[in-house]
């Protein structure tokens, strides 16, 4: 059989003429190993061998129907090596098309043929030889590789290594060196230069279109780069079947688009374009890729953030087929848990080389998770959907969200459960670990990206470091409490906003004892934190002192939606608190308030619309504060930590949860204000930040400084501020009451009271304060109305239908307060006469004219202090016992007495009778004469004034005010009091009552409340009467109507003491008409002493009284009229003296 | 006389040249328009290559013999000369057929081009053009730029193309160029799948065609349009599989195809060559030892090399008019392939096409017979047989002389080995039964046996020698030896074996 040693397949003999070996013959050569050889050494005898290899590879590949390695009839048509070479070339082309994505890593080096060859030839012989070889081949092989059209080669350096070069034969060719360092992804999930060789049709459609347009717009390329052109044609055939729409698109490409759709591709030097055989290449317009990404399934579905480049939200290990950039997501892509580039726009998308913003776990989740020492108050705060798979729910968590989360979502989005809202879940796991899952809605309908992080318990001795890069968080337990006040939002800026936020930090032990917290408040519509008007520290913790805690108060005049809590110490754990804000819904209800700001006690009544007045309260329905801890589920000792300060400081320094009703706190309440001992009153101060009303006063020991006597306190430093702070707190409570009960703020009415004896200047100052505060907090239609304290009770009794037979005849309203007694005589509903004097409860229960506290020497205190100390201790009421000694320590008789009176109303007292001061006193036969004397003096004076004004005998005496409790001490039978009163009137008038007689009306249990109620039971405007015209001051001196201090000479003073002496005689005669012993159980012994002491030192007491009151009323000029009767001055001294004597007679017997 | 400059590149070049030498020694003569003097130039960086050494030695012996006996005496009737022998010059030192590559010993390619001192753009270009890995002589994988070049450009013809390009600047090339005349021809032997040959062929070809641009040489015009023939030897043997060797069989095919594509565009495609001879064999025969060359590369002679040598004969027989060039391009390039009559694993003369057989069977048989006589009978015949004792005497003194003892004996031994190697190889060429009796020397030719025919043995041989020598005059003993034996063996083979002239 004939044999030819060759591949032409021609028959012939010996050396016969055949053909040059062309494709056919070459293909006919069989490869024994099937063309699988990849590491093929360069076989071409030319320095440009690599260009040739690529050219050949293109030629071979174009013969493969699917443009992959291809064997036909055992002949390798296109080898794996060919596939790689073409793929690498296309990778380079695609990289250049996307050069903007990798510009930080790429450098283009220009090799100018003429210049570089000339340089080489003028260099060393070695270089010359290289140059001459290159030149030889550039010349000899110019037709094959278009070297004739080659002016410059552009070498591509990536990561400082040459990876490829332009080729006049195939656009590009790649190095044979290892390219694993350049295995990046561009815009698709195809890794450049990897072992999965991508044919053109596998690639980014945009890139394909570009290549076709490049050839279409530049026919020179089709003519000269024929192998590439053939490849493109084959690719098109594949596309026709595989991706017909792209096929159509490519078919319809317009040449003009080449200029318009792409940007100039330069070497990095503008104008120095990269060309192949003189045809400039182009690149993707950077906005094109962004336009593509905007269609990504991963685009965050933000409810608020709108920007041109909405970030993608990416998750490690996601195995859903979402559209990523312009290709499907590949679950092998590693998404870093943390991207150190903080500017989102400067970030590079993972897995591909595209600069585009994206978000990952650490953008939204904090490195630390703050655990609290109590369960969160779920009804009022979002608890982060905690699930306790392990452990219990006794400790809640702050939301470990970073502020950035709220750039895209509002706090309400997180609370919203409807689809498309972000969601958070916290799952307690083993060993104190917590897994937090934050689901972020993305563009893909109904789909979420989950950010997950597990927080591990910190070690006990040293704070564990979180590892954000590996997604490991740390749980830290902080003993902190946060309370909001008021817990309501109006969403109406016109109404103003007045918030106080209390922050308690009780981290005093362990590794976190130096923690220092700061709060930032944010609204959903502003990236900047809400302005903190003031931030005040009231208490200070001391590390390792377990009974200490830091309290801070934030004063805010704006509403906010959520709070960021940060430990500002070095490591900085932060967390978010989202309140479930109730929203104020304005209604039409008109609220009316009456505030009786008294010397001893203050009371507030309110009514809604035309309803009946009731004491101000905070009920479970309108709790004004919101504590972060759960009020009932939190254990007594805060999970064993002992962080009870978190609860206690709310009552002590802030606002109580409940007021009135069954609560231990209620109005009327002692008129006291609390502040820190170290408060510098000269700095700017704020109510409920620097000051608060301590409702626990007289119930628990206060550690703060307690200011009492606010009403009459001399103009001392800070008094105005304190008074204002006191009023402000009240007003804020009232405002909140209206808000919580859907009232109409501006329609709210406010009535306040002042004693008629109050100086106009003082009254005007109070009035200004009320007006300003009311204006600030209510913006009312009608200003507040000031009413003299004594007028209102009349309307109460009248309204309560207690004045039998009406008010045709005069009714005398006597309001016995702590400091003053006010008298009003009303006839036919019109006040005829007003009088006021400082002869009131404190005359008996205070220190008399003593400038300083004199409780240590006070008779009542001496008599009853020991008693109370004993029974409190016997009944194991040690807390109250401490309160007692604390109040006693201040040495103010009125405060100690006030405490005695308050004890029976303390919640802890079961046997009220045992502790009732009232009943003790009413049974004290030695002291009884004092109370009768006190009462008689007032009635006598009223009768004298009325008689002088020629007013007929009254029909009713009505009593109100705290001091009218004295009536109870005298007798529980008002008829006896009526008799006594009638005798006094008849004595003064020297005239008998008619058949109507005289009745005494009082509210035994709530004498104080009567004023306020009365104020609300009439038209307040009717009560706002200028009383100066009917004010009457009885001079006690015949022929003198108006007394000035100048007129107080010895003669007139003697006249006054004589007048008092006459009264004393009148009083002693009463015993004959109505036996003190029989009717009132006055002990004979005491009555004897009383009579002995009664007329002693009257002149001295008058002088003391004058001195005392001049100081009190700041009388600087003696020309001033004496505004109250001097009748009571000597009596005050006498009573004080008598108590001292009488209290020693019989010890308390129990 | 016109000259044929033969560039024998690499191992294959040497071996084909050896086969040619054997053919010429045996008296195979091109029947062309004119006779050519052969000027072989061996190009191989691979100095320790055994094939190269053997070929060089063989050529030396050939030259000595032909100088001694001239070209009129049948055997050795074509003159082979070294390049430096062309012009008698006193400065000549070489005396070698081998072109000495400069600066390749112990040099890495990187150093050869002084890579480190290149300016950034050219450095970047060199980085990518010469990227990739290769395996050095210690079997370690190294960067291509770090490959040492003294073992040849094993598998890296792109590097070879740079290094071999120094040839154009060499004294040899200058000499060649300045001695090149219009009627001279050039033939280039290379294998396509190795390193040196694959690289050298285009380099030399291009440099010849590019001669106009070479400022160092004369005679450019003739060179540019020189009649150039070449044989490109495609894979024809197996090598042992050795994963650590840079030479892999599977590489051969891949590299061959890649290079053929390159030739298609840049050699044949642009008409650079006047006559290109392709030869290949896909016969899966006995593997050659895998040896990249550092320790020898001594491969057994192969029929393909003989056939390739015949291509040179063929080229020389091609008339001038078919090899015309203008502007450095062949006007009518010729491409040839080789065929035989029977696809035999051990080729005999009868398996060859008739022309081939006619061309070589008689002469090779004559030379084989000659060799057999010299090796088996010569010593016992001299000074006894008549042909020996006639003037000029071929006596013991002659046999002890360097010429016979060294040049002739060595050459004849080589011829024997060459034949043996070819016959042992697979595919083999085994026309002779070398160890047989005289009458069964030629495998497929039985001696004509007739009633009157005498037995063929050395005594017959001696008789024939004596009868041919009778009345003849010889200018010298060496001339007598070769001429007498040529005529006598021709006679015996035609008359007794029935071979044709």
């Amino acid at each position: 059989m004939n044999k030819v040693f060759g591949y032409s397949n021609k028959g012939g003999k010996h050396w016969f003429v055949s053909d040059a070996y062309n494709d056919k013959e070459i293909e006919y050569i069989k490869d024994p190993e099937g063309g699988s050889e990849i590491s093929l050494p360069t076989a071409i005898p030319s320095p440009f061998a690599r260009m040739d290899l690529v050219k050949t590879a293109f030629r071979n590949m174009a013969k493969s129907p699917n443009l992959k390695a291809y064997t036909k009839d055992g002949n390798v048509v296109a080898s794996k090596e060919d596939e790689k070479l073409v793929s690498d070339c296309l990778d380079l082309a695609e990289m250049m098309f996307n050069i903007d994505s990798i510009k930080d890593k790429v450098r283009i080096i220009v090799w100018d043929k003429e210049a570089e060859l000339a340089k080489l030839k003028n260099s060393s012989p070695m270089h010359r030889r290289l140059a001459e070889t290159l030149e030889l081949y550039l010349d000899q092989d110019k037709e094959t590789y278009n070297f004739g059209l080659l002016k410059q080669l552009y070498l591509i350096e990536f990561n400082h290594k040459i990876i490829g070069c332009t080729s006049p034969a195939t656009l590009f060719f790649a190095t044979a060196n290892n390219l694993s360092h350049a295995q990046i992804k561009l815009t698709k999930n195809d890794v450049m230069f990897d072992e999965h060789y991508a044919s053109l049709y596998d690639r980014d459609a945009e890139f394909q279109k570009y290549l076709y347009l490049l050839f279409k717009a530049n026919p020179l390329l089709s003519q000269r780069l024929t192998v590439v052109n053939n490849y493109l044609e084959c690719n098109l055939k594949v596309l026709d079947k595989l991706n017909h729409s792209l096929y159509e698109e490519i078919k319809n490409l317009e040449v003009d688009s080449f200029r318009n759709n792409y940007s100039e591709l330069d070497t990095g030097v503008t104008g120095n374009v990269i060309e192949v055989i003189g045809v400039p290449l182009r690149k993707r317009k950077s906005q094109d890729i962004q336009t593509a990404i905007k269609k990504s399934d991963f685009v965050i579905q933000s409810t608020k953030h709108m920007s041109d480049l909405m970030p993608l939200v990416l998750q490690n290990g996601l195995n859903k087929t979402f559209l990523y950039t312009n290709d499907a997501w590949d679950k092998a892509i590693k998404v870093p848990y943390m991207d150190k580039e903080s500017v989102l726009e400067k970030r590079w998308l993972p897995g591909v080389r595209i600069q585009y913003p994206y978000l990952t776990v650490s953008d939204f989740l904090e490195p630390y998770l703050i655990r609290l020492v109590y369960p969160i108050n779920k009804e009022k705060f979002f608890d982060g959907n905690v699930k306790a798979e392990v452990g219990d729910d006794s400790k809640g968590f702050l939301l470990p969200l970073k502020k950035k989360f709220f750039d895209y979502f509002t706090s309400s989005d997180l609370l919203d459960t409807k689809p498309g809202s972000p969601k958070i879940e916290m799952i307690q796991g083993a060993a104190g670990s917590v897994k937090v899952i934050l689901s972020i809605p993305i563009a893909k309908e109904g789909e979420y990206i989950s950010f997950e992080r597990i927080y591990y318990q910190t070690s006990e001795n040293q704070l564990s470091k979180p590892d954000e890069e590996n997604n490991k968080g740390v749980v830290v337990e902080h003993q902190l409490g946060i309370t909001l006040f008021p817990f309501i939002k109006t969403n109406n800026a016109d109404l103003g906003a007045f918030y106080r936020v209390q922050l308690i930090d009780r981290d005093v032990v362990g590794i976190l004892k130096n923690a220092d917290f700061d709060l930032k408040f944010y609204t959903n519509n502003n990236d900047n934190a809400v302005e903190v008007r003031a931030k005040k520290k009231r208490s200070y913790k001391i590390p390792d002192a377990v009974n200490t805690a830091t309290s801070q108060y934030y004063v805010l005049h704006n509403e906010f939606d959520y709070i960021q809590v940060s430990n500002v110490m070095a490591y900085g754990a932060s967390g978010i608190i989202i309140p479930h804000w109730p929203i104020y819904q304005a209604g039409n209800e008109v609220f009316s308030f009456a505030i009786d700001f008294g010397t001893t006690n203050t009371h507030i009544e309110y009514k809604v619309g035309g309803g009946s007045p009731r004491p101000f309260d905070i009920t479970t329905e309108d709790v004004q504060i919101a504590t972060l801890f759960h009020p009932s589920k939190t254990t007594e000792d805060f999970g064993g930590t002992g962080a009870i300060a978190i609860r206690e400081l709310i009552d002590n320094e802030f606002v109580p949860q409940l007021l009135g009703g069954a609560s231990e706190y209620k109005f009327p309440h002692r008129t006291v204000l609390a502040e820190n001992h170290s408060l510098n009153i000269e700095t700017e101060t704020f109510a409920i930040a620097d000051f608060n009303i301590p409702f626990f006063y007289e119930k628990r020991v206060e550690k703060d400084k307690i200011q009492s006597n606010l009403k009459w306190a001399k103009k001392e430093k800070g008094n105005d501020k304190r008074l204002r702070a006191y009023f402000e707190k009240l007003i804020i409570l009232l405002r909140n009451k209206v808000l919580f009960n859907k009232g109409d703020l501006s329609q709210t009415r406010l009535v306040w009271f002042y004693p008629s004896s109050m100086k106009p200047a003082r009254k005007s100052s109070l009035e200004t304060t009320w007006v300003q505060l009311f204006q600030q907090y209510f913006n009312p239609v009608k200003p507040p109305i000031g009413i003299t304290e004594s007028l209102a009770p009349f309307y109460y009794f009248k309204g309560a239908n207690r004045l039998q037979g009406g008010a045709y005849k005069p009714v005398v309203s006597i309001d016995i307060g702590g400091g003053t007694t006010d008298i009003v005589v009303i006839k036919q509903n019109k006040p005829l006469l007003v009088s006021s004097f400082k002869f009131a409860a404190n005359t008996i229960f205070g220190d008399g004219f003593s400038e300083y506290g004199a409780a240590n020497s006070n008779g009542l205190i001496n008599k009853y202090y020991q008693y109370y100390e004993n029974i409190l201790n016997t009944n194991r009421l040690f807390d109250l016992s401490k309160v007692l000694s604390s109040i006693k320590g201040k040495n103010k008789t009125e405060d100690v007495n006030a405490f005695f009176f308050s004890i029976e109303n303390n919640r802890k007292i079961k046997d009220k009778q045992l502790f009732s001061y009232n009943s003790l006193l009413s049974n004290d036969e030695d002291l009884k004469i004092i109370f009768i004397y006190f009462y008689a003096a007032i009635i006598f004076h009223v009768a004298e004034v009325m008689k002088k004004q020629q007013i007929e005998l009254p029909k009713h005496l009505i009593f109100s005010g705290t001091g009218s409790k004295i009536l109870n001490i005298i007798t529980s039978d008002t008829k006896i009091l009526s008799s006594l009163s009638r005798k006094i009137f008849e004595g003064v008038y020297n005239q008998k009552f008619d058949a109507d007689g005289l009745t005494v009306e009082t509210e035994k249990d709530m004498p104080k409340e009567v004023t306020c109620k009365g104020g609300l039971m009439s038209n307040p405007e009717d009560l706002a009467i200028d009383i100066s015209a009917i004010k009457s001051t009885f001079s006690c001196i015949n022929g003198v109507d108006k007394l000035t201090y100048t007129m107080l000479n010895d003669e007139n003073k003697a006249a006054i003491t004589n007048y008092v002496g006459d009264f004393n005689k009148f009083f002693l005669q009463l015993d004959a008409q109505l036996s003190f012993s029989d009717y009132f159980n006055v002990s004979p012994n005491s009555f004897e002493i009383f009579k002995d002491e009664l007329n002693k030192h009257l002149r001295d007491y008058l002088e003391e009284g004058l001195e005392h009151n001049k100081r009190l009323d700041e009388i600087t000029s003696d020309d001033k009229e004496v505004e109250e009767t001097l009748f009571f001055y000597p009596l005050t001294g006498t009573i004080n003296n008598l108590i001292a004597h009488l209290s020693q007679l019989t010890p308390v017997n129990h | 006389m016109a000259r044929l400059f033969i560039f024998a590149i690499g191992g294959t070049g040497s071996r084909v040249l050896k086969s040619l030498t054997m053919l010429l020694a045996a008296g195979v003569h091109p029947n062309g328009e004119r006779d050519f003097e052969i000027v072989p130039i061996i190009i191989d960086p691979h100095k320790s290559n055994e094939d190269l050494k053997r070929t060089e030695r063989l050529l030396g012996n050939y030259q000595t013999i032909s100088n001694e006996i001239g070209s009129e005496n049948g055997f050795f009737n074509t003159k082979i000369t070294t390049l430096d022998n062309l012009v008698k010059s006193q400065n000549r030192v070489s005396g070698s057929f081998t072109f000495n590559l400069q600066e390749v010993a112990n040099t890495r390619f990187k150093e050869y081009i002084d890579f480190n001192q290149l300016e950034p753009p050219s450095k970047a270009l060199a980085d990518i053009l010469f990227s990739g890995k290769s395996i050095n002589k210690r079997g370690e994988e190294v960067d291509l730029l770090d490959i040492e070049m003294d073992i040849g450009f094993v598998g890296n013809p792109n590097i070879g193309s740079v290094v071999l390009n120094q040839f154009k600047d060499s004294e040899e090339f200058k000499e060649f160029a300045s001695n090149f005349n219009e009627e001279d021809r050039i033939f280039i032997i290379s294998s396509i799948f190795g390193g040196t040959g694959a690289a050298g062929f285009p380099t030399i070809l291009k440099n010849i065609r590019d001669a106009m641009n070479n400022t160092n040489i004369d005679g450019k015009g003739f060179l540019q349009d020189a009649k150039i023939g070449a044989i490109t030897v495609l894979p024809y043997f197996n090598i042992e599989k050795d994963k650590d060797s840079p030479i892999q069989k599977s590489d051969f095919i891949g590299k061959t195809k890649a290079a053929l594509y390159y030739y298609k565009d840049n050699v044949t495609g642009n008409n650079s060559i006047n006559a290109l001879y392709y030869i290949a064999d896909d016969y899966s025969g006995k593997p050659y030892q895998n040896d990249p060359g550092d320790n020898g590369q001594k491969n057994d002679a192969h029929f393909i090399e003989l056939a390739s040598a015949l291509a040179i004969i063929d080229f020389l027989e091609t008339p001038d008019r078919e090899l015309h060039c203008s502007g450095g391009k062949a006007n009518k390039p010729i491409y040839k392939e080789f065929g035989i009559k029977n696809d035999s694993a051990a080729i005999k003369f009868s398996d060859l096409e008739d022309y081939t057989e006619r061309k070589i069977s008689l002469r090779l048989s004559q030379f084989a017979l000659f060799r057999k006589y010299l090796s088996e009978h010569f010593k016992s015949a001299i000074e006894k047989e008549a042909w020996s004792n006639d003037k000029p005497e071929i006596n013991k003194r002659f046999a002890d002389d360097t010429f016979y003892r060294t040049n002739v004996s060595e050459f004849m031994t080589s011829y024997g080995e060459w034949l043996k190697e070819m016959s042992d190889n697979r595919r083999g060429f085994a026309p002779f039964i070398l160890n047989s009796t005289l009458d069964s020397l030629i495998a497929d030719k039985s001696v004509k046996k007739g009633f009157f025919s005498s037995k063929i043995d050395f005594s017959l041989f001696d008789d024939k020698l004596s009868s041919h020598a009778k009345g003849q005059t010889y200018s010298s003993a060496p001339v007598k030896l070769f001429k007498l034996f040529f005529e006598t063996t021709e006679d015996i083979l035609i008359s007794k074996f029935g071979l044709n002239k």
Side-chain angles (χ1 to χ4, degrees), chain A residues 557-575:
Chain A
H557 287 175
N558 292 97
E559 301 198 321
F560 56 92
D561 293 306
Y562 60 97
I563 308 169
Q564 186 178 39
V565 184
S566 305
N567 179 358
V568 297
M569 294 308 284
Y571 78 86
S574 289

Side-chain angles (χ1 to χ4, degrees), chain A residues 43 75 167 193 295 477 528 563 592 627 729 756 863 881 1082:
Chain A
N75 286 332
S167 164
F193 307 115
K295 294 176 196 152
E477 184 173 285
N528 297 322
I563 308 169
S592 303
T627 60
K729 176 152 180 185
S756 52
K863 183 162 186 177
S881 176
V1082 171

Side-chain angles (χ1 to χ4, degrees), chain A residues 381-401:
Chain A
F381 295 94
F382 179 49
D383 73 342
N385 298 321
V386 175
K387 287 196 183 72
E389 283 183 358
V390 175
D392 55 29
D393 58 355
S394 65
K395 290 182 174 184
F397 302 92
L398 298 190
L399 304 174
L401 294 175

Side-chain angles (χ1 to χ4, degrees), chain A residues 1 8 18 21 132 141 144, chain B residues 168 206 262 266 335 337:
Chain A
M1 210 187 93
S8 73
S18 177
Y21 278 12
E132 285 173 357
D141 297 351
T144 313
Chain B
K168 73 172 175 55
K206 286 172 199 298
Y262 177 79
N266 300 297
Y335 304 100
E337 288 180 304

Side-chain angles (χ1 to χ4, degrees), chain A residues 618-636:
Chain A
I618 299 174
T619 69
T620 50
E621 303 302 312
D622 59 8
V623 173
Q624 299 195 358
I625 59 167
T627 60
L628 187 59
F629 66 84
H630 196 285
S632 58
K633 288 184 187 161
T634 302
T635 57
E636 197 64 34

Side-chain angles (χ1 to χ4, degrees), chain B residues 157-398:
Chain B
N158 57 336
I159 281 192
S161 68
V162 177
V163 180
L164 290 171
N165 201 44
Q166 65 167 269
F167 179 64
K168 73 172 175 55
D169 295 332
S170 66
E171 281 305 311
E172 286 84 350
F173 189 73
K174 279 185 214 164
E175 247 167 52
F176 153 71
S178 51
N179 283 294
F180 192 82
N181 291 315
E182 196 176 3
E183 67 272 25
D184 293 348
R185 293 185 183 181
I186 296 164
F187 197 86
I188 304 167
I189 311 164
S190 65
S191 73
I192 202 165
F193 53 94
T196 315
F201 168 41
T203 304
I204 288 163
L205 178 64
K206 286 172 199 298
N207 270 307
I208 293 167
R209 294 295 185 213
D210 190 49
M212 296 302 272
N213 294 324
N214 192 329
T215 49
N216 292 329
I217 53 168
D218 309 323
K220 297 165 185 175
F222 293 150
L223 267 188
Q224 190 190 12
D225 287 339
K227 300 170 183 69
I228 306 178
I231 184 156
T232 182
V233 181
L234 278 56
Y236 63 94
F237 57 84
N238 266 341
I239 53 162
E240 289 174 339
K241 205 160 175 72
D242 177 356
K243 67 178 172 54
D244 291 331
S245 171
I247 300 174
Q248 296 293 339
K249 182 187 169 197
S250 58
D251 284 1
F252 284 1
I253 303 298
K255 287 162 79 173
T256 298
K257 293 174 98 166
L260 281 173
Y261 278 123
Y262 177 79
Y263 288 1
K264 188 197 98 173
D265 289 334
N266 300 297
V267 176
T268 58
N270 61 8
N271 293 359
S272 292
I273 197 138
N274 299 90
L276 181 62
Y277 295 80
Y278 297 102
I279 192 159
D281 190 5
D282 56 3
Y283 183 82
S284 295
K286 147 186 165 192
Y288 280 35
Q289 190 188 354
N290 191 331
D291 175 2
D294 197 38
N295 295 315
Q297 197 174 37
K298 180 176 176 295
N299 293 328
D300 285 354
H302 195 283
F303 173 72
I304 289 294
E305 294 151 14
L306 173 65
S308 300
L310 284 172
I312 301 170
I313 307 289
D314 184 76
F315 177 61
L316 290 178
E317 289 174 351
T318 308
D320 274 353
R321 63 174 184 279
E322 291 186 16
L323 302 172
H324 198 67
C325 266
S326 58
K329 301 287 177 198
N331 290 350
K332 215 176 81 187
I334 303 164
Y335 304 100
K336 288 193 166 181
E337 288 180 304
F338 185 71
I340 59 172
K341 199 189 283 171
N342 294 313
D343 187 5
S344 168
I347 299 164
K348 300 179 182 58
F349 285 131
S350 56
D351 294 325
L352 302 173
E353 290 293 349
D354 294 347
Y355 180 79
T356 320
E357 188 180 0
R358 275 208 308 283
K359 191 82 198 166
I360 65 167
S361 62
L362 178 60
R363 300 288 179 238
L364 288 180
S365 300
Q366 283 178 268
F367 209 52
L369 206 53
F370 181 29
R371 187 202 70 88
K372 197 164 179 73
Y373 185 93
L374 290 182
S375 64
E376 293 176 15
H377 189 64
F378 181 68
K379 282 198 176 144
S380 56
I382 51 171
E383 297 185 2
K384 274 194 221 152
E385 298 296 336
W387 64 269
S388 158
N389 293 324
D390 291 349
K391 294 280 179 197
E393 282 173 66
I394 295 179
N395 49 20
K396 286 201 165 78
R397 207 174 136 248
F398 176 82

